[in-house]
């Protein structure tokens, strides 16, 4: 890994063994982009990569010269209005009404490691030799606004982290109307664009299409990253697949409104932009003021999408997530939500906990309904004091009883919200985001607290810290169940209302930071009506997230498969729930529900006391299996093998770092009669190692199917054919709809 500046050619080269990133100072002092891709030889001069030709209807920068137009050179941080007509990375409104800016190179620094971004989640290093950072200092000579562009290259993997920081060194206030985290101009458009989209209960389904001339984009204007679109984008070469070919990934470490966009001009170059959504964004920069954008991470590989995902997994699991739980196996939990909803008493909870303990479950999580007057979703949010009618000895009393059973205790909060029927709202009706004299839209009867105000965050912190301070709560599920409307804060003047969305998220990060610092051993799981804020920003504080409110095993195959393109298995909260499933009313076998959820932060969310002894015995086997294998399941190298979006079967696998062990998950949606022979080609194994393969089918313990070399399993494949034609096996069980198997390789 190195970052080199060549004075003669005014060129920067950031490289490691995987990638090269090359920039140059353009003739007008702005920064130009020359190359991002597979590592190339270090040289002093790459000026051949800077092409300039005269074209009709083009405008030029220099008087009397007809080649240098910003329209036709690839820029590092594009500006609009001075010969570039593409969508810009930055827009600054000045006191005279002009929006032109011209950021020219002034100086640069190269340093080992990576600086932190104040108040924002970001990737980090633990040792200085893990990464190097280049900071380019640019300045607009007219406004005096300076711009620092930060680039961190990591020693490992094709990763580059980027952000921008503006400081107003001029005499007049300006308004930052657009400040993207990343702008990347690519020389062609021969890519497929893949976005991760959905809705409540069907989050992060991959959607692909060819990149075309014009603008394609996804984003969120909901105040959170959203169920609808994830702040993650893949551009892959048309022939690239999971195991080979060039792929680029772009991920924004942010939890609020975002825009991910690709613009292909009519000369087929592509500009990628990623950052805070410019719509409704307006940050006033007074003289001396600064604005730091969130961080964006870009990854390049020529080894296909599994390699891209593994690069993100490694980085986000080990150098974005932090704290006590980062590298620790996650406790098997039981959450009471789908078993009781709001209808519980302490006795009912303890009865559930006792059965859970006997089934091998380690952590009991009390979900919504324990506080204030919260007996339905109409009341109580904002009042984080235990309801004495339900919990006579409070949270600590219940937690003690749970601990006496030998389990840990966890608790649900929704810190950012308030019901109008709450003491908090009655005391502070002006603490919600709302526009005076206008309608106040609700979502699930709740309103959004104005987290742009420190006193609001302080108040919620005090209430939560009061509950957490005696140490009886070892896990917190932090929920967020509505999108923001009427975004306006009485605490800010008119010309700063465009800051509220971002200040809100900074308030969320501040509360997370204070709680995680004060209670470092508490495991935080983020949640937003399932996966509406499953984003890298929150992974910095909470190493796991509730992946989706949809707990149906077949739907979860798709959701977890889609989520795995960017996010590690250890971050995906995944529970076994009741049948008929509460979201879809589908009945799937218990073994399949577990076989899907094992690839995640595993738990249960159903009334165990309504199960048969046989089912409980099966759950005991499942928890024992998970305890034996969770290191590999949660922290192994994850490979997607067969997509649930493409056929009736799906498969994935995880491989231990030393390749000595692996687990394959194989799933079939509908049963088939007299099916063909089938094989599954595995990957990531040691070709020369002899693996003993054990299959776990249905409710039977593992059965050895044979010993095979890694190369046989990878090239000839693992036989997955049914051993019967739909009839009952002699002494065994017939295959069924929604069937699945796990193959253990040792
Ligand atoms: C959201 C969460 C659920 C549950 C409920 C409680 O929907 O996603 O898991 O916690 O809120 O109200």
């Amino acid at each position: 890994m190195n970052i080199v500046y060549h004075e003669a050619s005014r060129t920067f080269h950031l490289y490691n063994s995987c990638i090269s990133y090359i920039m140059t100072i353009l003739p007008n002092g702005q920064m130009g982009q020359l190359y991002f891709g597979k590592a190339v030889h270090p040289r002093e001069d790459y000026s051949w990569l800077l092409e300039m030709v005269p074209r009709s209807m083009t405008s030029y920068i220099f008087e009397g010269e007809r080649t240098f137009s910003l329209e036709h050179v690839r820029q590092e941080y594009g500006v609009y209005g001075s010969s570039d007509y593409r969508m810009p990375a930055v827009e600054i409104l000045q006191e005279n009404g002009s929006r032109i800016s011209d950021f020219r190179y002034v100086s640069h620094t190269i340093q080992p490691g990576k600086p932190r971004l104040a108040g924002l989640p970001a990737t980090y290093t633990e040792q200085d030799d893990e990464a190097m950072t280049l900071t380019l200092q640019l300045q607009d000579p007219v406004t005096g606004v300076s711009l620092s562009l930060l680039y961190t290259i990591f020693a490992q993997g094709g990763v580059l982290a980027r952000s921008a920081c503006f400081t107003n060194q001029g005499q007049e206030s300006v308004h930052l109307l657009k400040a993207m985290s990343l702008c990347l101009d690519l020389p062609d458009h021969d890519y497929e664009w893949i976005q991760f989209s959905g809705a409540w209960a069907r989050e992060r389904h991959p959607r692909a299409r060819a990149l075309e001339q014009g603008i394609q984009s996804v984003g969120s204007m909901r105040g959170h990253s959203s169920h609808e679109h994830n702040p993650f984008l893949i551009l892959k070469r048309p022939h690239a697949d999971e195991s080979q070919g060039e792929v680029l990934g772009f991920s924004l470490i942010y939890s609020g409104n975002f825009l991910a966009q690709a613009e292909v001009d009519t000369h087929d170059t592509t500009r990628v932009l990623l950052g805070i959504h410019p719509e409704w964004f307006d940050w006033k920069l007074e003289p001396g003021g600064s604005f730091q954008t969130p961080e964006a991470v870009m990854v390049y590989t020529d080894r296909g999408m599994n390699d891209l995902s593994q690069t993100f997994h490694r980085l986000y699991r080990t150098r974005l997530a932090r704290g006590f739980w980062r590298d620790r196996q996650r406790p098997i939990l039981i959450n009471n939500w789908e078993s009781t909803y709001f209808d519980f008493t302490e006795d009912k909870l303890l009865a559930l906990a006792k059965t859970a303990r006997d089934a091998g479950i380690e952590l009991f999580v009390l979900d919504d309904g324990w506080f204030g007057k919260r007996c339905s979703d109409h009341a109580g949010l904002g009042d984080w004091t235990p309801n004495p009618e339900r919990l006579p000895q409070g949270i600590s009393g219940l937690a003690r009883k749970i601990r006496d059973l030998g389990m840990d205790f966890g608790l649900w909060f929704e810190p950012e919200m308030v019901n109008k029927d709450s003491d908090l709202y009655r005391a502070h009706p002006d603490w919600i985001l709302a526009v005076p004299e206008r309608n106040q839209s609700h979502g699930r009867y709740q309103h959004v607290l104005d987290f742009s105000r420190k006193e609001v965050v302080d108040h919620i912190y005090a209430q939560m810290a009061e509950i957490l301070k005696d140490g009886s709560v070892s896990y917190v599920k932090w929920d967020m169940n509505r999108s923001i409307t009427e975004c306006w804060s009485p605490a800010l003047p008119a010309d700063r209302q465009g800051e509220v969305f971002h200040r809100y998220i900074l308030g969320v990060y501040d509360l997370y930071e204070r709680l995680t610092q004060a209670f470092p051993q508490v495991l935080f799981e983020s949640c937003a009506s399932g996966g509406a804020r499953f984003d890298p920003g929150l992974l910095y504080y909470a190493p796991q997230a509730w992946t989706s409110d949809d707990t149906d095993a077949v739907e979860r195959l798709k959701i977890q498969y889609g989520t795995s393109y960017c996010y590690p298995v250890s971050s995906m909260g995944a529970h076994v729930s009741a049948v008929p499933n509460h979201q879809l009313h589908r009945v799937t076998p218990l073994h399949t529900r577990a076989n899907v959820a094992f690839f995640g932060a595993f738990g249960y969310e159903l009334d165990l006391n309504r199960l048969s002894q046989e089912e409980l015995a099966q759950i005991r086997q499942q928890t024992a299996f998970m305890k034996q294998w969770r290191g590999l399941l949660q922290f192994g190298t994850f490979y997607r093998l067969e997509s649930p979006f493409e056929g009736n079967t799906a498969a994935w696998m995880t491989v231990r770092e030393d390749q000595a062990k692996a687990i394959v998950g194989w799933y079939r949606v509908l049963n088939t009669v007299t099916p063909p022979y089938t094989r599954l080609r595995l990957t990531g194994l040691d070709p020369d190692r002899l693996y003993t393969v054990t299959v776990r089918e249905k409710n039977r313990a593992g059965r050895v199917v044979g010993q095979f070399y890694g190369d046989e399993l990878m090239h000839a494949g693992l036989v997955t054919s049914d051993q019967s034609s739909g009839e009952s096996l002699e002494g065994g069980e017939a295959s069924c709809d929604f069937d699945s198997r796990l193959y253990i390789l040792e």
Side-chain angles (χ1 to χ4, degrees):
M1 164 192 58
N2 205 358
I3 299 178
V4 186
Y5 176 60
H6 295 291
E7 182 68 50
S9 60
R10 306 220 294 171
T11 302
F12 294 89
H13 187 185
L14 298 77
Y15 60 93
N16 63 19
S17 59
C18 304
I19 53 166
S20 281
Y21 190 87
I22 306 173
M23 296 176 275
T24 192
I25 302 168
L26 294 170
N28 68 338
Q30 292 184 11
M31 292 302 303
Q33 154 62 215
L34 296 185
Y35 177 76
F36 176 45
K38 197 174 171 71
V40 294
H41 280 97
R43 292 184 67 184
E44 305 232 323
D45 187 359
Y46 297 93
S47 52
W48 64 275
L49 287 167
L50 182 66
E51 291 183 276
M52 291 189 227
V53 288
R55 284 177 175 146
S56 292
M57 278 304 282
T58 297
S59 315
Y60 301 97
I61 293 289
F62 299 115
E63 196 65 35
E65 194 273 353
R66 282 196 55 189
T67 52
F68 184 61
S69 164
L70 296 178
E71 182 179 4
H72 299 300
V73 294
R74 289 186 291 125
Q75 294 180 60
E76 208 37 49
Y77 201 72
V79 292
Y80 169 83
S82 49
S83 81
D84 187 0
Y85 302 97
R86 292 166 290 184
M87 291 295 138
V90 53
E91 194 177 325
I92 296 180
L93 177 62
Q94 296 140 51
E95 276 190 3
N96 68 359
S98 163
R99 298 177 186 209
I100 306 286
S101 44
D102 175 7
F103 286 102
R104 299 188 194 166
Y105 172 84
V106 177
S107 64
H108 70 269
T109 54
I110 295 170
Q111 65 184 98
K114 183 172 190 292
R116 301 243 160 181
L117 303 186
L120 283 168
T123 56
Y124 59 89
T125 50
E126 287 193 335
Q127 311 288 337
D128 272 352
D129 60 1
E130 291 176 9
M132 287 176 82
T133 300
L134 166 69
T135 306
L136 294 175
Q137 286 300 343
L138 317 176
Q139 191 159 33
D140 177 43
V142 174
T143 59
V145 173
S146 75
L147 165 62
S148 309
L149 296 178
L150 275 79
Y151 300 82
T152 298
I153 184 160
F154 287 82
Q156 235 202 335
V159 182
L160 209 65
R162 295 180 53 178
S163 69
C165 183
F166 294 84
T167 303
N168 187 353
Q169 297 177 344
Q171 305 300 317
E172 294 177 353
S173 294
V174 297
H175 283 261
L176 205 48
L177 302 180
K178 185 175 192 182
M180 303 308 278
S181 300
L182 171 155
C183 171
L184 178 67
D185 286 355
L186 295 163
D188 67 81
H189 82 309
D190 193 18
Y191 291 100
E192 246 178 45
W193 152 290
I194 307 177
Q195 66 194 52
F196 295 84
S197 300
W200 174 80
R202 66 170 157 80
E203 297 90 339
R204 291 172 298 284
H205 286 203
R207 299 259 162 187
R209 59 178 176 272
L211 209 54
E212 257 310 329
Q213 291 184 358
I215 290 175
Q216 33 257 286
S217 72
V218 291
S220 169
M221 292 282 292
R222 310 179 72 101
H224 55 103
S225 48
S226 87
H227 297 103
E228 282 68 20
H229 302 291
N230 198 257
F232 179 57
L233 174 67
I234 287 178
L235 296 183
K236 77 167 190 69
R237 294 296 188 188
H239 298 293
D241 57 25
E242 288 290 4
S243 57
Q244 59 76 38
E246 282 195 313
V247 194
L248 297 165
F250 303 91
S251 167
L252 185 66
I253 304 181
Y254 190 57
S255 310
N257 288 349
F258 77 92
L259 175 69
Q261 176 172 301
E263 175 174 5
V264 181
D265 69 10
T266 53
H267 293 90
D268 289 342
T269 67
T270 302
R271 169 170 293 174
V272 179
L273 293 174
L274 182 62
I276 293 179
H277 206 303
E279 198 70 42
W280 276 56
F281 175 78
D282 177 348
W283 196 275
K284 186 176 179 187
L285 265 190
E286 281 174 345
S290 285
F291 181 81
Q292 169 67 53
T293 73
E295 179 166 292
V297 173
M298 8 190 246
V299 170
Y300 166 90
T301 176
D302 63 344
R303 293 164 52 196
M305 288 192 289
N306 268 322
D307 190 63
L308 181 94
S309 300
Q310 289 159 8
T311 305
F312 275 110
H313 295 175
R314 206 181 308 116
L315 181 72
Y316 283 0
R317 190 162 51 69
T318 64
R319 291 295 180 268
L320 176 62
R322 299 176 296 170
F324 181 81
W325 284 100
R326 185 186 75 181
D327 305 324
R328 284 191 160 75
Q329 297 179 16
R330 307 295 159 70
I332 302 175
L333 65 82
I334 176 121
N335 179 303
N336 75 307
W337 180 243
E338 285 199 12
S339 74
T340 68
Y341 295 101
F342 289 112
D343 182 19
F344 62 81
T345 58
E346 190 173 273
D347 287 347
K348 208 165 169 180
L349 298 176
L350 288 168
L352 179 61
K354 192 168 172 316
T355 311
R357 190 267 322 265
D358 293 344
I361 294 170
E362 300 158 315
L363 166 67
F364 182 89
V365 178
L366 174 55
D367 209 276
D368 196 354
W370 57 267
F371 49 90
K373 296 208 174 55
R374 184 79 167 169
C375 297
S376 74
D377 55 12
H378 289 256
L381 290 174
D383 299 339
W384 302 105
T385 45
N387 175 346
E389 283 163 33
R390 292 185 158 194
L391 306 174
Q393 285 128 19
I395 287 298
S396 48
L398 173 63
R400 199 177 329 108
K401 290 175 194 163
I402 300 280
R403 285 189 184 273
D404 288 347
L405 289 174
M407 298 175 90
D408 284 332
F409 180 75
L411 200 57
W412 181 96
F413 288 90
E414 195 176 354
E416 300 151 71
M417 299 291 158
V418 69
N419 287 112
K420 288 198 168 172
D421 186 359
S422 67
D423 293 341
L424 180 67
Y425 182 79
R426 282 183 281 273
H428 299 285
D430 62 331
W431 274 13
I432 63 172
L433 292 173
V435 185
E437 289 152 32
R438 292 203 183 272
N439 182 55
Q440 299 172 349
S441 314
H442 75 93
R444 208 193 185 197
Y445 315 106
Q446 66 198 48
H447 295 266
V448 184
L449 286 171
D450 183 356
F451 263 42
S452 74
R453 291 163 74 172
K454 188 168 177 307
E455 67 272 31
V456 178
V457 176
D458 287 348
H459 182 87
I460 299 297
Y461 175 81
Q463 289 197 62
M464 292 178 77
E466 183 61 30
I467 302 273
L468 300 179
K469 74 175 186 213
D470 76 356
S472 56
V473 176
S474 64
Y475 161 106
V476 165
K477 177 176 171 188
W478 175 322
D479 211 338
M480 192 277 193
N481 283 315
R482 64 156 291 186
S483 304
I484 294 177
T485 52
E486 290 93 27
C487 184
W488 192 88
S489 170
L492 289 169
D495 63 351
R496 286 193 176 274
Q497 289 298 325
E499 302 177 13
V500 180
F501 271 120
H502 182 60
R503 287 187 184 275
Y504 175 89
I505 287 295
L506 294 179
V508 171
Y509 291 153
D510 179 40
L511 183 58
Y512 256 117
E513 184 68 25
R514 286 155 71 179
L515 288 167
T516 49
Q517 294 303 324
F519 306 101
Q521 304 218 338
V522 172
L523 171 59
F524 280 80
E525 176 159 342
S526 73
C527 173
S529 281
R533 223 163 45 181
F534 201 119
D535 59 57
L538 289 192
L539 272 187
Y540 185 68
Y541 308 97
Q544 60 190 61
W546 182 224
T547 314
S548 175
D549 273 347
D550 196 335
T551 55
D552 172 74
V554 178
E555 291 303 302
R556 271 302 186 114
L557 272 180
K558 292 183 176 167
I559 295 167
Q560 291 173 213
Y561 198 92
T563 304
S564 80
Y565 282 89
C566 185
Y567 304 99
V569 168
S570 58
S571 69
M572 292 185 222
H575 300 171
V576 172
S577 65
V579 289
N581 171 266
H582 291 194
Q583 293 79 39
L584 275 179
H585 319 293
R586 186 183 277 146
V587 177
T588 55
L590 183 53
H591 71 277
T592 293
R593 281 175 271 155
N595 286 347
V596 177
F598 282 145
F599 291 83
F602 180 70
Y604 291 83
E605 190 161 337
L606 75 172
D607 189 351
L608 297 175
N609 290 323
R610 296 173 74 152
L611 300 186
S612 66
Q613 285 309 316
E614 203 180 308
E615 287 169 312
L616 285 173
Q618 207 180 325
I619 289 181
R620 274 197 297 281
Q621 283 178 14
Q622 290 172 354
T623 57
F625 173 82
M626 188 62 189
K627 285 174 193 169
Q628 182 184 352
W629 291 100
R630 73 180 141 189
L632 172 55
L633 286 161
Q634 293 176 342
F635 300 101
T637 306
F638 183 81
Y639 293 87
R640 290 175 299 273
L641 298 177
E642 277 184 12
S643 169
F645 296 97
E646 284 166 16
N648 191 39
T649 53
W652 53 44
M653 68 185 288
T654 176
V655 183
R656 207 167 79 174
E657 202 169 355
D658 64 3
Q659 296 174 306
K661 292 183 192 225
I663 300 181
V664 179
W666 175 90
Y667 311 88
R668 181 175 53 206
V669 180
L670 293 181
N671 201 5
T672 47
V673 76
T674 49
Y677 296 126
T678 52
R679 286 189 201 174
L680 182 64
R681 289 222 217 162
L682 305 187
T683 185
L685 301 174
D686 177 349
D688 301 321
R689 215 186 268 259
L690 193 63
Y691 292 92
T692 303
V693 179
T694 311
V695 62
R696 281 172 60 92
E697 294 166 289
K698 290 274 172 55
N699 306 328
R700 278 179 287 172
R703 169 174 63 85
V704 174
V705 290
Q707 286 195 319
F708 313 97
Y709 280 103
D711 58 2
E712 295 177 272
L713 292 166
M714 292 194 289
H715 307 310
L718 174 73
V719 171
T720 55
S721 315
D722 277 342
Q723 300 304 306
S724 72
S725 302
E727 299 166 32
S728 275
L729 270 180
E730 199 76 26
E733 287 167 280
S735 55
C736 59
D737 283 346
F738 317 123
D739 207 354
S740 65
R741 297 174 207 144
L742 294 185
Y743 294 91
I744 322 293
L745 279 59
E746 293 177 85

